[in-house]
Amino acid sequence: MPHAYVTLVTNADYAMGAQALVRSLKLSGTGADIVVLHTGGVASGALRPLAALGARLVEAELLPTSAAFNERHQRAKLHADAPFTKGNKPSFHTPLDNFAKLRLWQLTDYERVVFIDADALVLRNIDRLFSYPEFSAAPNVYESLADFHRLNSGVFVARPCEKTYDDMLAMLDRPDAFWRRTDQTFLQAFFPDWHGLPVFFNMLQYVWFNMPELWDWKSVSVLHYQYEKPWERDHPKAEKLRPLIDLWHAYHWGEGIPDIDRLENPAGAT
Ligand code: UDP
Ligand code: MN
């Protein structure tokens, strides 16, 4: 099987996220493998539902980065040196863990992979992404036009290759390197000529209230819950995001999943 969707799970919270994602991928009717890269510390009870949904579990360790690198990217330090001013990261989010995404370049059984964050849902079939080139990603749009300069690393197309992986590690852990938005900042630097995907392949939840005119349920293929997670209890933006949170829970439980084309767009959509 030359194609796979890949996600990453380093703790039980993201395993919960992956459960909704894997179910959504299955429902999209994909013919590709679904791989969950997980670290050794994730409880087997948290992983079992993913296997039951048909995912292939692949254990992968965090990257062998230096102690100094790990120190610079440690949660409290990163939050102090590069504060998040637009939204909140949940307490179970460890920035250093993000870099383990790069392990997917070692999955060389696959000719192409589409990486998707564990906090996303695939709402319609996106298998055509496997014929897109490395490196393809959607822009990090959730506030303004200026967002189009940057990519969001929650969804991307890649070609596994050991040489690429080795080159990445060499560039990643250079003396004093500080990647303020972790893998996202790194991938943009490693692939300066990245190919842009339409925003609908990685629709960020804040678009719902910041740029409602961009929303169209008939076009959204991947919905990505960046910042606060839909399974967090009563987070500060929960009321504003209620319809999106309800949708996530439907996929998580596998009950009451609506026809996406018939959902109501936010007030202000055109
Ligand atoms: N992740 C993880 N454990 C962590 C942090 C991140 O497994 O402690 C994985 C998970 O797949 C997650 C992705 O890395 O979806 C990126 O983190 P997140 O989605 O929280 O970042 P955001 O989309 O809010 O920028
Ligand atoms: Mn995410």
Side-chain angles (χ1 to χ4, degrees):
M1 169 66 71
H3 298 154
Y5 291 100
V6 178
T7 192
L8 170 68
V9 162
T10 71
N11 60 41
D13 269 286
Y14 285 103
M16 187 143 44
Q19 217 175 307
L21 170 64
V22 173
R23 192 192 309 279
S24 74
L25 275 167
K26 280 283 172 193
L27 289 171
S28 79
T30 181
D33 277 8
I34 301 172
V35 173
V36 175
L37 282 179
H38 68 91
T39 45
V42 186
S44 55
L47 294 173
R48 211 169 298 125
L50 300 173
L53 284 167
R56 184 183 156 213
L57 304 180
V58 175
E59 189 170 332
E61 287 317 306
L62 297 184
L63 300 186
T65 42
S66 65
F69 180 95
N70 298 350
E71 179 58 35
R72 286 194 297 279
H73 296 88
Q74 188 258 335
R75 181 177 161 105
K77 180 140 177 42
L78 184 139
H79 282 240
D81 291 351
F84 292 90
T85 56
K86 300 181 170 165
N88 299 296
K89 293 288 187 178
S91 56
F92 50 79
H93 177 271
T94 303
L96 201 53
D97 292 10
N98 287 350
F99 293 106
K101 278 184 200 180
L102 305 188
R103 290 273 185 202
L104 69 81
W105 269 273
Q106 294 184 297
L107 300 175
T108 50
D109 290 348
Y110 298 108
E111 185 242 322
R112 274 284 191 297
V113 305
V114 172
F115 178 85
I116 307 181
D117 268 8
D119 59 346
L121 294 174
V122 173
L123 303 179
R124 54 189 88 243
N125 189 287
I126 55 168
D127 285 355
R128 68 186 180 283
L129 285 183
F130 292 115
S131 59
Y132 282 46
E134 173 175 276
F135 179 87
S136 301
N140 194 34
V141 169
Y142 61 89
E143 222 177 49
S144 71
L145 273 178
D147 297 339
F148 276 92
H149 288 300
R150 291 181 300 137
L151 62 81
N152 182 283
S153 63
V155 176
F156 59 83
V157 184
R159 192 172 70 84
C161 167
E162 279 291 346
K163 161 106 173 46
T164 308
Y165 175 76
D166 292 344
D167 291 348
M168 284 179 156
L169 279 198
M171 175 167 163
L172 182 72
D173 195 358
R174 285 187 305 208
D176 299 324
F178 176 58
W179 306 101
R180 50 187 289 125
R181 293 297 173 254
T182 61
D183 63 297
Q184 184 161 286
T185 319
F186 173 75
L187 287 167
Q188 176 146 353
F190 192 83
F191 294 110
D193 299 325
W194 56 288
H195 301 266
L197 297 173
V199 287
F200 300 110
F201 283 106
N202 186 355
M203 191 54 122
L204 301 174
Q205 64 175 349
Y206 281 21
V207 171
W208 182 260
F209 55 78
N210 277 339
M211 310 171 94
E213 66 277 20
L214 196 58
W215 205 278
D216 178 10
W217 281 118
K218 289 197 164 63
S219 303
V220 178
S221 293
V222 182
L223 172 53
H224 181 188
Y225 298 81
Q226 102 292 16
Y227 292 123
E228 297 85 359
K229 304 308 170 209
W231 61 94
E232 278 184 79
R233 233 173 252 291
D234 300 326
H235 67 64
K237 303 215 169 62
E239 271 325 302
K240 283 208 261 193
L241 292 170
R242 184 58 56 200
L244 306 192
I245 293 175
D246 290 346
L247 182 64
W248 185 89
H249 283 276
Y251 276 97
H252 178 74
W253 296 108
E255 275 171 26
I257 297 169
D259 177 351
I260 301 299
D261 288 338
R262 300 173 71 102
L263 288 175
E264 219 178 301
N265 285 325
T270 48

